[in-house]
Each structure stands twice: as C-alpha cells, then as structure tokens.
Amino acid sequence: QAQLVESGGGLVQAGGSLRLSCAASGRTFSSYAMGWFRQAPGKEREFVAAISWSGETTHYTDSVKGRFTISRDNAKNAVYLQMNSLKPEDTAVYSCAATWALESVVAGTSVYWGQGTQVTVSS
C-alpha cells in the first residue's frame, strides 16, 4: 500500500524555522514529482512547493520564495520542506503529494497525498 506520511510540524514563534519530512512507503517515488500543499482554517488548499523527480527543477508559490526550500532524497524515498523566517500566515496543515508530472503536482491533481502535519506560527 503506497502512502506518504508527513512529520516535523509543530509550534514555533514568528521568525523561527521548521523542517518538514515526507516519508514514502509501499513503493518507490523516485520517478515521481513531489510537492507540498497547505490549508489553513477557512481557506482553500494552497500550493507551496514542488520538485521534479530528479530534483533539478523546483517551483514555489510567491509567498514562500526565499524562505522555504524543497528538497528530496530518492535513496531514502523522502521529500523535505525547510521553512525559515516563518510568519503567522504560514500556519496551516501541510501535506505532501506525489504524481507523475511536475505540472500536475503544482496544480494540486496529485495521485498520492499524505494526511498532513500541523504547523503553527505564533506572533
């Protein structure tokens, strides 16, 4: 059974950092594009970052550029999101996703989704 499980969320003060991990199991995701989305209470799910299967191409939503970095380790079947200079508006449940095409990850049409991990940033 293929699945994605996020970890690393928590409570931090504004300006702090967190590193989210997404561990894949059940199959290898080395040939899949992967990404991160977030959803805050009362808001629509928002694309955050995506990375191609090779790690050569990345894409970020404008609000996190320069603060967040997506990376992956195909040998470990995992993807990461390093979040620096966190702001209260970053508070959300963060989920990882995977599918064949990078464009589909960005569009939110991934085949595989994790359950999410809560990130809370206090002011």
Side-chain angles (χ1 to χ4, degrees):
Q1 178 177 313
Q3 64 178 22
L4 304 173
V5 179
E6 303 90 341
S7 63
L11 173 64
V12 298
Q13 292 189 332
S17 298
L18 284 173
R19 184 173 185 261
L20 305 183
S21 298
C22 175
S25 63
R27 66 173 296 163
T28 178
F29 284 84
S30 61
S31 62
Y32 282 71
M34 302 186 72
W36 291 91
F37 286 75
R38 65 188 181 186
Q39 187 166 22
K43 295 185 177 181
E44 296 291 323
R45 185 180 64 187
E46 177 189 24
F47 166 75
V48 177
I51 188 167
S52 63
W53 70 270
S54 66
E56 295 180 349
T57 304
T58 58
H59 187 76
Y60 300 90
T61 190
D62 287 343
S63 63
V64 307
K65 288 181 178 178
R67 300 189 298 120
F68 292 9
T69 302
I70 188 171
S71 62
R72 68 189 300 164
D73 186 340
N74 287 342
K76 296 181 178 179
N77 215 17
V79 64
Y80 309 97
L81 186 68
Q82 178 66 47
M83 305 185 295
N84 298 326
S85 301
L86 284 162
K87 304 175 181 179
E89 52 262 44
D90 294 320
T91 295
V93 174
Y94 284 71
S95 301
C96 64
T99 198
W100 184 253
L102 180 62
E103 294 84 357
S104 295
V105 173
V106 175
T109 56
S110 293
V111 174
Y112 300 98
W113 292 87
Q115 289 284 79
T117 185
Q118 178 70 48
V119 171
T120 302
V121 184
S122 62
S123 60

